[in-house]
Amino acid sequence: MSTTGLALGCLFFVIASASAQYFELKNVNQLAEAKKFQKIVIRDLQVPSGVTLDLTNLKDGTTVEFAGKVTFGYHEWRGPLVKISGKKLNIYGYDYARFDGEGHRYWKGGRNTKLVKPRFLEAIKVDDSRISNLYFKNSPAMAFLCNWCHNVAISKITVDNKDAGDGRAGRAFNTDGISLGYATNITVRDSYVFNQDDCFVTGGGSDMTIDNLICEGGNGISVGSLGRGADVVRLTIKNSKVINSLTGLNIKTETNAVGLHRDVTFENIELRDIHQYGISIHGNEGPTYPLGDPTYFIIDRLTMRNIRGTMKGPGAANVWIWLHPNSATNWKWENVHVTGGKSAMFKYVLTCKGIPANLKIPCAEK
Ligand SMILES: *[C@@H]1O[C@H](CO)[C@@H](O)[C@H](O)[C@H]1NC(C)=O
């Protein structure tokens, strides 16, 4: 009896320790040791001020599990507060886990602040990986970025800056929600952003699909241009909502930007209570916006399909298009209904140009 009991006990011990092949990070000084493991667990962690929670150069196939609250000491710097790189990673959080940026420490001064504020989490050169269920509370500046990422499935990202109030308060200026730069083959699903800047933004990348994104309080969904030759190619944004935001959908290229947009599709989108522009497509982002001349920039095969929207106040444009006459080629504009805005009451006198001749797009209705 006792021999059997002992044997079973040993067996149990071996199994338990085999399954405990993870490192529980309690202190950022342990990062080098943690990175030797295939799995890193982070429960409650206080990251000292001016230090990045540096999860770069993880071993291929590493799992990082967030299972508590991660907070950061106050420091005026560009961050990021958390940085991740590696291949075949599985990065996820439990439902109760939080990254708390305690953004209120940085928000005072709003748009006019001179504070240098840290970006929150930057995934950089993350390949063939999954990132899911991360909750960012009160981001000091941009919340979630994936730059030079390839083949990454991103889901259930929450950016919760509700404590800053809605966008017109302007407190949490520059708190872009989800941002993809120079990324390829990325999906972003089932995510929610309440912030005071772009909800989703990309300025360059290809094969990106955004599905079921809900945006509230900020500047809406933005396809920009990084200029300097960055292209946005094969981007689809679908089954999404923008609520109580400054702009609904925003396609903006900078004055003198070099690059192109091709095969960008917005499909099945609801815009509700939008303040300034339901859909804005303009080629003069920068110092001369909104009245300066738009620069030539190819926007080829843009599709807008099944888009419903209501504007909040009358001093707004349902749709505003302001492009160089040769910019727009091969557009589709199907079943788009944005209503309630009267641009005559807007603070600038808006007119439209560059709308493809074959499309009847009501624009900047007075
Ligand atoms: C795109 O990324 C997914 C992972 O999200 C991967 O399964 C798929 O094979 C990738 N596609 C290509 C063409 O690399």
Side-chain angles (χ1 to χ4, degrees):
M1 271 300 267
S2 68
T3 317
T4 315
L6 185 63
L8 282 175
C10 284
L11 187 62
F12 178 75
F13 176 76
V14 170
I15 291 167
S17 64
S19 67
Q21 289 301 306
Y22 65 84
F23 189 94
E24 187 178 339
L25 187 81
K26 300 204 157 134
N27 179 316
V28 291
N29 297 328
Q30 301 170 314
L31 277 164
E33 181 62 19
K35 288 179 193 181
K36 296 175 184 160
F37 287 73
Q38 288 290 131
K39 180 170 177 181
I40 301 170
V41 174
I42 299 177
R43 293 198 170 87
D44 292 338
L45 180 69
Q46 164 69 36
V47 180
S49 61
V51 172
T52 295
L53 173 54
D54 182 351
L55 299 166
T56 59
N57 300 311
L58 296 170
K59 267 182 197 285
D60 285 10
T62 297
T63 292
V64 182
E65 178 181 287
F66 291 95
K69 183 165 165 180
V70 183
T71 53
F72 304 85
Y74 181 81
H75 191 60
E76 291 164 24
W77 66 313
R78 293 190 50 76
L81 301 177
V82 185
K83 191 169 180 179
I84 300 175
S85 71
K87 295 185 198 317
K88 303 193 170 99
L89 306 180
N90 183 15
I91 311 288
Y92 65 87
Y94 282 98
D95 286 349
Y96 55 83
R98 295 286 181 273
F99 294 96
D100 191 347
E102 297 173 85
H104 57 273
R105 298 175 298 178
Y106 299 87
W107 291 338
K108 51 189 179 285
R111 184 174 286 271
N112 299 318
T113 187
K114 296 214 164 38
L115 287 187
V116 181
K117 301 185 284 187
R119 289 160 298 154
F120 211 148
L121 185 147
E122 182 175 28
I124 184 162
K125 296 184 186 163
V126 168
D127 293 348
D128 309 313
S129 297
R130 281 180 292 169
I131 300 176
S132 70
N133 220 29
L134 302 184
Y135 195 117
F136 300 92
K137 190 155 178 58
N138 295 342
S139 55
M142 302 175 85
F144 176 88
L145 304 95
C146 212
N147 291 325
W148 290 278
C149 293
H150 310 288
N151 310 328
V152 182
I154 298 166
S155 62
K156 295 187 185 162
I157 300 296
T158 302
V159 176
D160 169 6
N161 286 349
K162 286 184 181 166
D163 290 349
D166 79 22
R168 283 159 303 159
R171 292 177 69 212
F173 178 61
N174 208 211
T175 51
D176 291 358
I178 297 171
S179 170
L180 304 179
Y182 300 102
T184 60
N185 186 27
I186 308 291
T187 54
V188 178
R189 288 183 205 283
D190 307 326
S191 294
Y192 174 77
V193 173
F194 189 115
N195 71 339
Q196 295 193 355
D197 212 306
D198 295 338
C199 166
F200 167 82
V201 60
T202 181
S206 60
D207 297 297
M208 298 174 280
T209 300
I210 314 307
D211 190 354
N212 190 25
L213 172 65
I214 298 177
C215 302
E216 234 181 311
N219 283 5
I221 294 174
S222 215
V223 180
S225 136
L226 299 174
R228 292 159 302 188
D231 298 342
V232 177
V233 178
R234 293 183 301 277
L235 164 68
T236 297
I237 294 168
K238 60 185 180 183
N239 309 326
S240 295
K241 280 184 203 178
V242 182
I243 303 163
N244 188 27
S245 296
L246 210 55
T247 301
L249 310 178
N250 201 6
I251 299 180
K252 52 186 183 187
T253 63
E254 281 155 36
T255 305
N256 300 323
V258 176
L260 66 78
H261 290 176
R262 177 163 287 142
D263 294 311
V264 173
T265 297
F266 290 87
E267 192 167 31
N268 302 334
I269 311 269
E270 183 188 337
L271 311 174
R272 197 195 310 155
D273 293 338
I274 306 301
H275 299 264
Q276 278 188 356
Y277 304 97
I279 300 174
S280 170
I281 307 175
H282 61 273
N284 64 341
E285 185 78 6
T288 67
Y289 168 87
L291 300 177
D293 253 3
T295 311
Y296 174 65
F297 186 101
I298 295 170
I299 302 180
D300 186 32
R301 298 201 294 255
L302 172 71
T303 299
M304 293 276 175
R305 183 182 291 128
N306 300 336
I307 297 173
R308 305 261 146 189
T310 56
M311 305 300 290
K312 181 141 187 164
N318 302 322
V319 175
W320 180 52
I321 296 171
W322 183 247
L323 293 175
H324 184 279
N326 301 331
S327 284
T329 49
N330 308 305
W331 285 19
K332 288 186 180 153
W333 198 273
E334 299 166 1
N335 198 18
V336 176
H337 301 281
V338 185
T339 59
K342 290 201 191 334
S343 74
M345 293 171 70
F346 196 53
K347 57 185 169 179
Y348 303 100
V349 179
L350 290 176
T351 52
C352 295
K353 72 173 164 188
I355 299 175
N358 64 323
L359 298 179
K360 300 271 170 291
I361 302 175
C363 189
E365 296 149 285
K366 303 291 182 278

